[in-house]
Amino acid sequence: MADETKLGVGGGCGRFLESSKHYIAMIALQFGYAGMNIITKVSLNQGMSHYVLVVYRHAFATASIAPFVFIFERKGQPKITFPIFMQIFILALLGPVIDQNFYYAGLKFTSPTFSCAMSNILPAMTFVMAVLCRMEKINMKKVRCQAKVVGTIVTVAGAMVMTLYKGSVVEMLWTRHAHSHTTQHTSTSSSSSSDKQWFIGSIFLIIATFAWASLFVLQAKALETYKNHQLSLTSLICFIGALQAIVVTFVMEHKPSVWKIGFDMNLLAAAYAGIVTSSLSYYIQGLVIKKKGPVFATAFSPLMMIIVAIMGSFILAEKIYLGGVIGSILIVIGLYSVLWGKHKERVESKVAEAEDIALSMKASKVNANINNNSNSNFASDGKQLINNAAKLEKAEESFNNNNSSVLISMPRSTNQEPEA
């Protein structure tokens, strides 16, 4: 009885872990992203160049992804032609170079919570770009299209509120205690930044999000070639992006000392961002998207903002402003409106595909029945023809037999002479 109870408890725990593992993975991933924002902010506050940080980050990312490419995707690699190389080159320019550099610059001028909140406008911006590129069709008669359009407008409104309105400081329950213990140990450049720096940082974050959205739109074309080699595509983007970032750093930074890195926070920021958020997160998010879909994975994005807000208040003594709170709420509402519209679109497309499959199956069954009926009719007609042919043969034989007896007796009667 005790063994059965243990098995029941163990089976229940196993079923619970099996059903909740995707939720646990996405929550852990948001903690990973939040840690990246906090560590990177500390590194930037200590004077590390964000150009150099981008180089080291993608060097670590390439080194961590390349072994998996060699193990799992060594065979059947697509041939890199000039058009394919240009696609990868542009993707690397948009992602590792433009997106990361502008994001780190915006993070330096604002705060981790603000940067995470601004990154939530990505789905809305991607939707706008897809519409402009004619990859998305808008039919305002459908509720899902209305939800996406309204969600995009609300998201943009939230971003504008966060950019143009700072407001008063919102005190948290733990803020006073955290400030008294952490202000003397951490830099408070984010809290003492001028409104002009805050505005410039907001513009940098919007540009970074625009580059990120462009990356998603253009990546759809590259995935047609690397459909079965996604790790290879990621490693190539990170590698070429690291080379491009080196060139940008040489142009923007003229002091050799900026490349110096030791066993300190700068090394931790580069390694953490490259390994956790550029390679490990890619693998985990890919598994979750494969099982639960992209809407499920994206729905956890606002959780990162909440985690960063709490961690930033304790570790960085970060101040949260009223404009950021209002804008964040609007962005989250708009985000879920866009995601709901995308979810309904995926459901409708699956229903349409199922209906098409059902119609094709019915059509094939109808054709099969017609063929079977025609074959059976053809067989019955053939049998009838054979029977008729047999009857005709018998009739001809009997007719020939009758004709042969007449022909034989007739000469006998005609050749006989009449008796006198």
Side-chain angles (χ1 to χ4, degrees):
M1 186 69 182
D3 294 337
E4 293 179 357
T5 305
K6 290 180 181 179
L7 289 173
V9 173
C13 293
R15 287 192 296 270
F16 172 76
L17 291 175
E18 181 67 23
S19 61
S20 60
K21 63 181 181 181
H22 299 99
Y23 295 89
I24 296 173
M26 289 308 302
I27 293 173
L29 195 61
Q30 300 310 311
F31 273 98
Y33 282 129
M36 186 273 293
N37 280 273
I38 298 297
I39 295 173
T40 301
K41 179 64 176 178
V42 174
S43 177
L44 294 174
N45 286 346
Q46 292 181 355
M48 185 177 187
S49 171
H50 62 82
Y51 299 106
V52 177
L53 180 59
V54 170
V55 174
Y56 286 142
R57 169 179 176 170
H58 290 90
F60 276 108
T62 304
S64 60
I65 297 176
F68 294 99
V69 175
F70 181 78
I71 295 172
F72 298 109
E73 297 181 356
R74 181 173 52 184
K75 298 180 181 180
Q77 285 286 334
K79 185 178 180 181
I80 300 179
T81 60
F82 182 75
I84 295 176
F85 173 77
M86 288 305 300
Q87 290 178 7
I88 298 174
F89 185 88
I90 295 173
L91 288 173
L93 186 65
L94 289 172
V97 179
I98 298 176
D99 172 35
Q100 294 299 323
N101 275 300
F102 277 100
Y103 183 83
Y104 286 151
L107 177 63
K108 185 176 182 179
F109 287 145
T110 57
S111 67
T113 304
F114 186 90
S115 302
C116 292
M118 290 293 287
S119 65
N120 285 324
I121 69 175
L122 175 66
M125 192 171 289
T126 306
F127 170 69
V128 173
M129 293 196 62
V131 171
L132 295 177
C133 296
R134 296 183 179 180
M135 297 174 64
E136 289 268 358
K137 295 181 180 180
I138 300 178
N139 185 2
M140 293 305 295
K141 294 181 180 179
K142 296 185 177 181
V143 179
R144 58 178 176 82
C145 293
Q146 297 174 2
K148 288 191 288 186
V149 172
V150 173
T152 301
I153 296 172
V154 173
T155 302
V156 173
M160 291 180 65
V161 170
M162 293 183 66
T163 303
L164 303 176
Y165 176 68
K166 199 170 183 179
S168 59
V169 178
V170 178
E171 290 288 345
M172 300 294 179
L173 296 175
W174 61 86
T175 302
R176 295 176 183 177
H177 177 75
H179 285 174
S180 63
H181 285 79
T182 58
T183 303
Q184 57 183 353
H185 298 290
T186 58
S187 175
T188 58
S189 62
S190 62
S191 62
S192 61
S193 296
S194 64
D195 292 339
K196 183 178 180 180
Q197 288 180 327
W198 193 273
F199 178 79
I200 293 174
S202 302
I203 299 301
F204 284 167
L205 292 172
I206 292 175
I207 295 174
T209 308
F210 178 77
W212 198 2
S214 303
L215 174 69
F216 277 109
V217 173
L218 295 179
Q219 194 175 10
K221 182 66 176 177
L223 285 174
E224 294 178 1
T225 305
Y226 287 88
K227 185 177 181 181
N228 299 320
H229 298 81
Q230 297 182 9
L231 286 174
S232 302
L233 178 61
T234 304
S235 63
L236 287 173
I237 292 174
C238 291
F239 175 70
I240 296 177
L243 298 179
Q244 293 175 347
I246 292 173
V247 176
V248 173
T249 305
F250 277 127
V251 173
M252 301 302 297
E253 299 285 354
H254 304 287
K255 296 180 180 180
S257 59
V258 298
W259 293 95
K260 185 179 179 181
I261 189 171
F263 291 95
D264 52 9
M265 184 60 68
N266 296 339
L267 178 63
L268 177 62
Y272 186 96
I275 297 173
V276 176
T277 61
S278 292
S279 57
L280 183 61
S281 64
Y282 172 82
Y283 177 73
I284 294 175
Q285 191 167 334
L287 292 178
V288 174
I289 290 174
K290 187 176 181 180
K291 293 292 183 180
K292 293 289 187 178
V295 176
F296 179 87
T298 316
F300 288 84
S301 297
L303 179 61
M304 175 180 61
M305 179 179 62
I306 298 172
I307 298 171
V308 170
I310 298 173
M311 294 175 62
S313 297
F314 279 108
I315 300 174
L316 301 174
E318 178 187 351
K319 293 181 180 179
I320 300 174
Y321 295 93
L322 180 62
V325 174
I326 297 174
S328 300
I329 294 173
L330 291 176
I331 288 176
V332 171
I333 293 173
L335 169 68
Y336 281 111
S337 179
V338 174
L339 292 178
W340 182 86
K342 294 294 293 182
H343 174 69
K344 295 295 291 183
E345 182 179 7
R346 291 182 70 248
V347 170
E348 290 181 5
S349 63
K350 288 183 178 180
V351 171
E353 290 178 0
E355 290 179 351
D356 292 338
I357 293 173
L359 289 175
S360 62
M361 291 178 65
K362 288 182 180 179
S364 61
K365 288 181 179 179
V366 171
N367 292 329
N369 291 331
I370 292 174
N371 292 329
N372 291 331
N373 292 332
S374 61
N375 292 332
S376 61
N377 292 332
F378 179 77
S380 62
D381 292 341
K383 290 180 180 179
Q384 187 174 0
L385 289 173
I386 292 171
N387 294 329
N388 293 334
K391 292 179 180 179
L392 288 173
E393 288 179 358
K394 291 180 179 180
E396 288 179 357
E397 289 178 359
S398 61
F399 179 75
N400 290 332
N401 292 329
N402 293 332
N403 288 340
S404 62
S405 61
V406 171
L407 291 172
I408 292 172
S409 60
M410 281 180 66
R412 285 181 183 180
S413 60
T414 57
N415 291 333
Q416 290 180 354
E417 293 180 358
E419 295 179 355

